[in-house]
Amino acid sequence: MTIESDEGHRPDEIRAVPLRHPGRWAATAALLVLAAMLVHDAVTNPRFGWGAVGTYFFASPVVSGVEKTLELTFIAMVVGVVLGVVFAVMRLSPNPILSGAAWLYIWFFRGTPVYVQLLFWYVISALQPTISLGIPFGPEFVTWSSNSLVTPLVAAILGFGLNEGAYYAEIVRAGILAVDHGQFEAAQSLGMRRPALMRRIVLPQAMRVIVPPTGNETISMLKTTSLAVAVTYPELFDQAQNIATRTYEVIPLYIMASFWYLLMTTVLTFGQFYIERYYARGSSYSLPLTPIQRIRRNLTTLRRIPFSPSTAGDS
Amino acid sequence: MAEPMVRAEAVHKRYGLVEVLKGITLQVAPREVMCLLGPSGSGKSTFLRCVNHLEKINSGRLYVDGALVGYEERGGRLHELPEREVCRRRTEIGMVFQRFNLFPHMTAFENVAVAPVLVKKEPKAEAERRAQALLQRVGLSTKVDAYPNQLSGGQQQRVAIARALAMQPKLMLFDEPTSALDPELVGEVLDVMRGLAEEGMTMIVVTHEIGFAREVGDTLVFMDEGVVVEQGAPREVIANPQHERTKAFLSKVL
């Protein structure tokens, strides 16, 4: 075998005729026509009520509704995440009572519609007019009326939080199961007991699997809070509905609410990207570029000499 | 005679219908280095995992330092030990795995220092001082802040040994510690193990490194299909195996 040295005889860069893509042009033309129709309708159809959309966008009930939507999303997610972690760890416990109880919880709250659960909490006083602390079947020490205890906000938190907890438990469980079994054995061989093993060894490693769906769940929760209309909690959509029934400007207010939801979910999407990036550190695959990095790279290295394929195969 | 560090009497282990250990009887004296040799599937690793109760045995008796593993004998019956007690006894037994199993989200230093603080409630300063010393001892004082994925296989395995030693065990179990390493990295791990043996650590080493077994081992046990086929001084067993199965195995690995 001989190895020839090609120094000084570097072949010319390949400058091939690019492949044509007629299909792309056809699709682009079709989409442009559709987009033009939409824009034309939006501009010429007065029933869109763009003026009203603008008027109400920063109206004080709407802004307060946006705040309440964010607040409810945050609290319900915190409740959901805490319950989810607890029930996931219970579900994987060697104790059959604990894992059975967790199974039942997940089965029930994942198996019934969140809208129904929400209304159930809202009308809980019809089922249990009072709620008391005391000895089971024995004397009661403190008693509250359900109506004063379960306000619309509490009903919404219970409805969304308990439902989210059931879904989130499954996400956490998947994350825990994705951790290499050798990690459990190594921790056990060092004498770690289950709570320490979970908290210090397994859950931190499960985070990489858990974080991406958490962003997804948060975005989903933000939109689902619009169902709190049912329990008369004055969040964004409830406020939009209230104004719409008063002024009959239904379409503009639905458009206004949609814009707000879109704005908030867009901000969350960016947040998710950066959180995922943070938890992907130390893993073997390379991190995705941030938008700023991408722009900077495109500006600085417009043309780079390609990596020689003959060395790329070696490892 | 002193109490053996490990005493196995007719230990049987089944997975479902498959019997993996079919009556293992052996003893490991304090300061002894026992090497377990045998084809894959012969039950070597399973036996090792029974010693620190990562696996439960189905019959027979297994003692570590005079105490039954995983059970307590009272009134002629065996009682399962509570998790707390099982875990306390595991702290006295170090284990090193084929795939290292370092905690990937912790630095080398944290890997070594975490368990003494978390499990034995040692003062942090004390555990950290020892972690530093142990990493220096395995030749990794410059890699203290490295994460496992920044270390070579040999370096990772040395951290894993330091991590086990941090609990100050009286017995070390090695489950094919060099099988996942590139050949050029095997030596650095074996050197650390040799040093441990010279200091008088009691060790059970499942290995395919015949050279290590011959030079460092006090006894060599050859296992096949869940039974001990042959045991004795390593040089004799290797130079002059008595059983056909031992001969056949050695002829392939030597």
Side-chain angles (χ1 to χ4, degrees), chain A residues 182-183 185 188 200 282, chain B residues 49 90 101-103 105 149:
Chain A
Q183 294 290 312
E185 292 195 335
Q188 282 177 317
R200 291 297 296 276
Chain B
R49 294 154 55 80
R90 280 193 190 128
N101 296 348
L102 288 181
F103 305 133
H105 57 302
N149 68 356

Side-chain angles (χ1 to χ4, degrees), chain B residues 53 61-63 66-82 84-86 88-89:
Chain B
H53 207 49
R61 291 287 186 274
L62 184 55
Y63 300 87
L68 263 179
V69 173
Y71 302 94
E72 192 177 21
E73 200 153 16
R74 272 185 280 129
R77 290 202 61 184
L78 289 188
H79 297 258
E80 280 187 2
L81 286 177
R84 177 172 24 85
E85 186 57 21
V86 171
R88 194 194 60 74
R89 292 196 188 178

Side-chain angles (χ1 to χ4, degrees), chain B residues 11-197:
Chain B
V11 167
H12 287 72
K13 170 69 191 172
R14 274 194 320 270
Y15 290 111
L17 293 173
V18 186
E19 190 148 56
V20 187
L21 299 179
K22 301 169 184 162
I24 301 289
T25 299
L26 53 79
Q27 291 194 0
V28 186
R31 306 175 71 84
E32 178 178 336
V33 176
M34 173 181 281
C35 292
L36 285 181
L37 221 67
S40 55
S42 59
K44 315 172 300 276
S45 295
T46 305
F47 177 72
L48 215 57
R49 294 154 55 80
C50 289
V51 172
N52 67 357
H53 207 49
L54 285 176
E55 305 283 355
K56 279 185 184 174
I57 65 174
N58 295 103
S59 62
R61 291 287 186 274
L62 184 55
Y63 300 87
V64 171
D65 205 15
L68 263 179
V69 173
Y71 302 94
E72 192 177 21
E73 200 153 16
R74 272 185 280 129
R77 290 202 61 184
L78 289 188
H79 297 258
E80 280 187 2
L81 286 177
E83 192 205 10
R84 177 172 24 85
E85 186 57 21
V86 171
C87 288
R88 194 194 60 74
R89 292 196 188 178
R90 280 193 190 128
T91 63
E92 299 173 344
I93 305 173
M95 187 157 187
V96 174
F97 301 87
Q98 182 178 356
R99 307 271 345 156
F100 330 133
N101 296 348
L102 288 181
F103 305 133
H105 57 302
M106 296 181 182
T107 62
F109 181 72
E110 289 165 339
N111 263 282
V112 180
V114 65
V117 178
L118 197 63
V119 179
K120 288 172 92 180
K121 312 291 176 210
E122 275 182 32
K124 210 166 177 208
E126 163 71 13
E128 289 182 347
R129 194 194 50 74
R130 199 163 61 242
Q132 195 81 43
L134 280 167
L135 283 171
Q136 184 164 12
R137 172 186 171 162
V138 298
L140 291 172
S141 46
T142 58
K143 299 288 183 183
V144 169
D145 293 321
Y147 283 91
N149 68 356
Q150 298 165 326
L151 298 173
S152 73
Q155 290 169 334
Q156 288 190 55
Q157 194 62 296
R158 284 185 282 154
V159 174
I161 294 173
R163 177 176 70 177
L165 291 176
M167 298 297 281
Q168 300 179 300
K170 51 190 179 190
L171 167 67
M172 286 284 286
L173 309 174
F174 292 86
D175 189 3
E176 302 200 24
T178 58
S179 299
L181 297 177
D182 289 345
E184 55 181 350
L185 303 177
V186 168
E188 61 191 59
V189 172
L190 291 183
D191 285 344
V192 170
M193 292 167 61
R194 191 187 313 261
L196 264 180

